[in-house]
Amino acid sequence: MKYQKAKYDYIESIKVWYVEPFGLIDQPAAFVYYPGENCGVQVMIGDSLESFCDILREAAAELGCELKETWGVKGIASTDPYWDGKPTFRCGRCSIEHDVHENVAQVLYQRLGGSR
Ligand SMILES: [Zn+2]
């Protein structure tokens, strides 16, 4: 279980996306977004989505902050500072339109240690 408590004295809210395996995501994953100065996304993998829920709700309660939960990838592109706000983008490789949220989730999963 990859989960480290954020090093904050105070945060208002944490966002999380609970994602079932699809595409390049081969295990249940929780994408946890910490806002603020050291903002960033952390990926939890390898267990059930329900177990991520328990851990994160407990952590949020301990931190005294709100946990904003989303089931599925919708909205996850908002964690990308370079996102242009469009729901799809034209892929450079296969030149068809892809869902931007699905793409961001898969990229984060691969980049942040989700792959085997
Ligand atoms: Zn493509």
Side-chain angles (χ1 to χ4, degrees):
M1 180 73 56
K2 292 181 170 188
Y3 179 73
Q4 287 180 307
K5 211 163 281 177
K7 301 167 195 75
Y8 294 107
D9 294 328
Y10 176 73
I11 43 175
E12 220 170 88
S13 64
I14 296 170
K15 287 184 184 177
V16 58
W17 285 264
Y18 299 112
V19 179
E20 296 284 6
F22 77 93
L24 300 172
I25 298 173
D26 53 11
Q27 295 178 72
F31 298 83
V32 188
Y33 178 72
Y34 297 98
E37 247 173 81
N38 308 308
C39 71
V41 181
Q42 197 181 335
V43 182
M44 299 164 73
I45 54 161
D47 219 316
S48 67
L49 296 183
E50 288 69 26
S51 68
F52 300 143
C53 257
D54 292 343
I55 292 166
L56 290 169
R57 285 173 185 173
E58 198 176 301
E62 230 171 84
L63 289 165
C65 70
E66 189 188 354
L67 184 66
K68 294 180 177 170
E69 300 176 298
T70 302
W71 296 85
V73 296
K74 199 166 168 48
I76 198 169
S78 63
T79 63
D80 178 356
Y82 301 107
W83 181 38
D84 60 9
K86 293 177 186 155
T88 60
F89 71 99
R90 187 170 296 278
C91 175
R93 260 190 295 200
C94 60
S95 74
I96 58 169
E97 295 275 326
H98 290 302
D99 182 285
V100 71
H101 304 292
E102 286 182 2
N103 185 64
V104 166
Q106 292 180 90
V107 169
L108 286 171
Y109 185 81
Q110 285 196 305
R111 196 169 67 202
L112 300 177
S115 52
R116 292 136 299 173

